[in-house]
Amino acid sequence: MIALASGALLIQQREYRQDVAANDFLNNAAQTSRNSVAEQLDNQLQQLGLGRTDGQSQSSPASDSENNNSSITFHEINASLSKYFQKQRHTTQHQTSLEPLPSAVTEYLAQPQDLHEIKRLILDNPLPTWELQVSKLVRDPQPSTSFFPLANLQRVLLAQGLHLHAETPEVAAESFEAAWRLTDAIAARPDLLSQMLAGILQQQQATLLRHIELPGEQWQARLARDQQQAILQALTFDRWAEYQTLQYQQNQAQSAVSASNAWQSLIGKQYLQFSRLDWLAARKRNQSKFVGRQLCDSGTTPTQFPVRPNRLNSFGQKGITIFAQEWIKASDRMLSAELTQKVIQAKQLARIEGQWPQQLPKLTSQVCPKIAWNYEKEADGGIRLWFDQSAHWRVGLTGDFAPLSYEAGAFQVDVSTVSTDG
């Protein structure tokens, strides 16, 4: 009995310290309410047949078509649009222009819809925000907001930008700008799911920037976003939120226990307290392994970083690797963004010199400081850019990874590009 009481006291002391730490962190995390821009955005998303972020009922594709006098709905082009962007993401050879959009997509974009209004809403107003309140999240950890409609809208805006780029690059740039602001809005949220989606949306747009040129100097800086740190911060947020959720569920279960089962309840409560604290400690140990580590280090694979709780803990005995997977994917996206930055840099120098530069400065990777990018100008005037290491961290990891190489023929001035040199 003395040992049991002593163990219970130790667990309570540890629980108190973790409760204080959890409250301190979560109280300082970004908590938001749904603003009017998000409400207007939902209404316009619904009119476009893209769905709503709040999960409310929406009209069918058929009625959307009638309301907009449209002959083609988004539902009809969704699959072909996804396949088109996937193919463009994997393109390593520079072309004067990307492959033409599928004819159905072009027809969809040409219809008299509300796409211009939704673009102006995004560009002319503060970023939309959606509800994220920790107290509600703890009681019900299921996501209350779906960002799939925004992912659909981003692809439509990017398709519009590609469609308009050859003739009106300034208008095309607005479409790309609106698409990026959607990514910014999601990236402003502190949770892991939001950061994962923001990274995916950013990569889809960043890979396109290797093959087209947009007016404006902001793209280089935007591509330098530290996705590794964003994922680490999101893992910390989710860890503390999960800890408080388990505590809430434990308290709810305890309140339902009858007085006749008080002894069993005491034993069960101590075990649940131990399990919750041990799971939190295992998550912390797992996350600490990423700090200071580089993507290109040998052994950087998800299986090397499992979350392993105490053997007496019922949680995750097989070793969960999802957190390592997301850190690796974020790091890989940063490396992919570096290549896009190098391509943009090479194009800027080529416009000044009239040909691809003989050398490209600052080829050392920021993601992997021990490794450099290779740049080579070929005899025919073309160039090659590639990463000086195989992507061993991708082995066994599912995902739509962008290529880490780029080729281009002899430099030709893109007549559709607007000069920003004054």
Side-chain angles (χ1 to χ4, degrees):
M1 285 292 294
I2 295 176
L4 184 61
S6 177
L9 180 60
L10 180 61
I11 287 176
Q12 288 177 354
Q13 290 173 341
R14 289 180 58 199
E15 186 177 46
Y16 174 76
R17 290 195 296 269
Q18 300 304 338
D19 287 348
V20 171
N23 286 327
D24 286 347
F25 181 87
L26 293 174
N27 287 338
N28 289 319
Q31 300 192 52
T32 54
S33 300
R34 180 182 173 89
N35 67 2
S36 61
V37 180
E39 181 63 34
Q40 294 177 64
L41 186 59
D42 258 346
N43 293 334
Q44 293 187 349
L45 283 168
Q46 184 171 351
Q47 291 175 13
L48 285 170
L50 303 180
R52 294 179 63 94
T53 64
D54 58 9
Q56 293 183 13
S57 61
Q58 53 186 317
S59 56
S60 65
S63 60
D64 284 328
S65 178
E66 293 172 1
N67 292 337
N68 292 302
N69 298 317
S70 303
S71 58
I72 295 182
T73 67
F74 177 79
H75 177 75
E76 294 175 287
I77 67 165
N78 189 13
S80 61
L81 189 59
S82 296
K83 186 178 296 183
Y84 172 82
F85 277 122
Q86 183 179 36
K87 185 175 182 181
Q88 305 317 307
R89 282 195 300 273
H90 295 159
T91 299
T92 60
Q93 180 69 44
H94 173 74
Q95 304 166 359
T96 304
S97 60
L98 289 170
E99 291 185 11
L101 290 161
S103 58
V105 175
T106 303
E107 186 176 345
Y108 173 84
L109 294 172
Q111 294 171 162
Q113 301 182 52
D114 298 320
L115 190 55
H116 175 73
E117 289 184 17
I118 200 169
K119 184 167 71 172
R120 296 281 17 127
L121 173 68
I122 298 168
L123 292 175
D124 298 340
N125 290 281
L127 292 178
T129 61
W130 299 268
E131 183 175 84
L132 197 155
Q133 301 291 330
V134 172
S135 59
K136 293 183 180 180
L137 182 65
V138 166
R139 293 194 300 271
D140 183 10
Q142 295 299 318
S144 60
T145 303
S146 171
F147 290 117
F148 288 110
L150 295 187
N152 292 337
L153 176 58
Q154 190 225 29
R155 285 185 292 132
V156 171
L157 288 169
L158 293 178
Q160 183 190 55
L162 295 178
H163 182 59
L164 298 173
H165 182 257
E167 295 184 359
T168 53
E170 301 97 332
V171 180
E174 288 187 343
S175 298
F176 271 77
E177 180 69 22
W180 193 272
R181 283 176 63 82
L182 289 177
T183 303
D184 279 345
I186 299 172
R189 295 166 61 85
D191 61 295
L192 182 59
L193 281 175
S194 295
Q195 293 303 319
M196 289 164 55
L197 179 58
I200 292 170
L201 296 184
Q202 175 180 314
Q203 175 141 298
Q204 176 161 270
Q205 186 161 353
T207 49
L208 293 176
L209 295 178
R210 300 177 186 179
H211 305 289
I212 68 169
E213 297 182 59
L214 296 175
E217 301 296 330
Q218 70 273 30
W219 299 105
Q220 282 275 42
R222 285 173 168 175
L223 293 172
R225 176 174 173 259
D226 192 341
Q227 297 188 55
Q228 286 178 327
Q229 188 60 31
I231 286 291
L232 288 176
Q233 291 175 345
L235 286 172
T236 302
F237 176 88
D238 275 29
R239 188 179 76 214
W240 287 122
E242 183 182 69
Y243 171 79
Q244 287 197 341
T245 298
L246 292 172
Q247 185 181 50
Y248 173 78
Q249 292 172 347
Q250 174 188 316
N251 292 338
Q252 292 293 102
Q254 288 296 318
S255 64
V257 174
S258 64
S260 60
N261 293 325
W263 177 250
Q264 291 91 337
S265 173
L266 176 61
I267 301 297
K269 179 180 179 180
Q270 288 189 28
Y271 177 72
L272 289 174
Q273 286 175 318
F274 156 76
S275 298
R276 185 160 45 86
L277 290 166
D278 181 66
W279 177 245
L280 176 67
R283 289 278 306 268
K284 284 183 177 180
R285 290 194 301 270
N286 174 258
Q287 188 171 334
S288 67
K289 294 178 181 178
F290 308 140
V291 178
R293 189 173 183 87
Q294 294 177 14
L295 177 68
C296 301
D297 290 344
S298 60
T300 302
T301 60
T303 56
Q304 297 298 316
F305 305 99
V307 179
R308 293 198 184 279
N310 187 286
R311 62 184 179 83
L312 298 178
N313 192 339
S314 60
F315 292 140
Q317 282 301 309
K318 293 183 179 180
I320 296 175
T321 61
I322 183 174
F323 309 115
Q325 292 176 24
E326 296 310 321
W327 180 83
I328 289 173
K329 288 178 180 180
S331 305
D332 186 274
R333 286 193 289 265
M334 286 182 66
L335 196 61
S336 172
E338 276 192 357
L339 176 56
T340 302
Q341 287 179 304
K342 302 301 178 190
V343 171
I344 293 175
Q345 181 186 23
K347 288 181 177 180
Q348 289 172 341
L349 292 172
R351 285 197 297 272
I352 295 172
E353 300 176 14
Q355 59 180 341
W356 293 114
Q358 291 294 333
Q359 295 180 329
L360 202 60
K362 299 180 181 179
L363 287 170
T364 301
S365 170
Q366 298 298 310
V367 179
C368 299
K370 298 177 183 178
I371 313 295
W373 291 91
N374 289 315
Y375 174 82
E376 180 178 84
K377 185 173 181 181
E378 300 179 322
D380 63 358
I383 58 166
R384 292 176 60 223
L385 258 167
W386 71 100
F387 193 59
D388 196 17
Q389 188 183 56
S390 61
H392 60 78
W393 55 87
R394 294 179 175 178
V395 176
L397 188 62
T398 58
D400 188 18
F401 299 105
L404 299 178
S405 63
Y406 174 87
E407 299 180 15
F411 180 75
Q412 296 178 347
V413 176
D414 185 351
V415 295
S416 67
T417 301
V418 175
S419 173
T420 59
D421 297 334

